[in-house]
Amino acid sequence: MNGEQVFRHVPVLLEETLTALNLQPRGTYLDGTVGGGGHSEGICRALDGNCTLFALDRDRDALKAAARRLAPWQGLTLVHGNFHEAHRLLPGIAFDGILLDLGVSSWQLDTPGRGFSYHEDAPLDMRMDQSAGRTAADWLNTTPEREIARALYDYADERWAARIARVIVEMRSERLFESTQDLVRAVDRAIPKAVRRRDEGHPARRTFQAVRIAVNDEIAPLACALESLLSMLKPGGRLCVISFHSIEDRVVKRAFAGFKNPCICPADAPVCVCGRKPLAVLPKGYPTAPGREEMEANPRARSARLRVAQRI
Ligand SMILES: C[S@@+](CC[C@H](N)C(=O)[O-])C[C@H]1O[C@@H](n2cnc3c(N)ncnc32)[C@H](O)[C@@H]1O
């Protein structure tokens, strides 16, 4: 990371998350999305450093920022990797609490060189882990039209998905996509000016969200990852997940409902024969959303939801 670039990201639902984690002195915690370390620092402060904290991120620049912020605290291990693979990265550790603050950080969005922002002209990268996987440019230049349309629809509810996908394929046959502004131009060509609604913000917002989610494979493996993370908790340990859009939140909600009631017997079956037992309880008071004050102070918090599952 450029040394002059300060990592700016205000942790969302901080107090609510610390309460939800039910922090215990000498507890062992996993922050699966450490980012700039805002929530992790909150955990260390709340326990006065009297804990073991594993902090993971797939973005090496985020880890560097977290290392600086968390340097004063003992008992911290930073790990580069995907929380989908926490089981493999941190084998045999039983956690008292695990936190996921999903999506990208404000710092990632605001750093032009990362290619997440439609406001800047930058290489179309969008990978959280710049050491692996396809860039957004590669994805847009090689993915079949139908798959692009499906991603735009599924990951951002983009009603112009089919038209945008068609324009992307037309444009790439003339010149391959390279920069964020190539994608902005594609959206601009695809969405008729007359139908753009002011309240929907920048016309490319949804497309950028969908491409980012596709490039980083944020949705498909999430349900499995949640189940795996739940299994890494001690009995009574809590899995706390903050999501930022309805697609993500739906996956978390369904997964948690499945932990509470995993029975797959037909609804009209007189008794359960599948034998599946509840894996978690869902503590009262969740999901919770930020209060008015937080939303006013941090517009990014507006769509946040915190859900909690407690392992049985
Ligand atoms: C919303 S930010 C977290 C901010 C952090 N809670 C803070 O207060 O500074 C999300 C972070 O999670 C990381 N991330 C997203 N998906 C991930 C995944 N599957 N595995 C590991 N890290 C991930 C991103 O790189 C980003 O740094």
Side-chain angles (χ1 to χ4, degrees), residues 134-169:
R134 288 192 291 173
T135 63
D138 287 343
W139 188 82
L140 287 162
N141 288 329
T142 55
T143 303
E145 180 179 331
R146 278 179 59 176
E147 214 178 297
I148 296 177
R150 177 136 293 281
L152 296 178
Y153 188 76
D154 286 353
Y155 299 154
D157 288 332
E158 174 55 72
R159 61 202 163 107
W160 299 100
R163 278 179 75 123
I164 296 171
R166 186 158 335 125
V167 171
I168 287 170
V169 170

Side-chain angles (χ1 to χ4, degrees), residues 59-136:
D59 183 331
R60 287 188 192 277
D61 286 347
L63 283 172
K64 282 184 208 158
R68 280 198 295 274
R69 182 163 184 173
L70 301 171
W73 302 100
Q74 305 278 322
L76 175 79
T77 306
L78 290 163
V79 183
H80 177 246
N82 193 317
F83 66 71
H84 302 156
E85 295 176 354
H87 223 275
R88 185 180 62 75
L89 296 167
L90 303 168
I93 302 170
F95 292 95
D96 293 279
I98 298 178
L99 164 65
L100 299 180
D101 178 15
L102 296 172
V104 277
S105 64
S106 310
W107 177 82
Q108 285 166 323
L109 286 172
D110 297 343
T111 300
R114 301 297 298 264
F116 289 108
S117 169
Y118 38 79
H119 292 302
E120 314 283 344
D121 193 11
L124 200 43
D125 189 323
M126 293 202 204
R127 287 169 304 165
M128 293 186 207
D129 182 350
Q130 292 189 295
S131 63
R134 288 192 291 173
T135 63

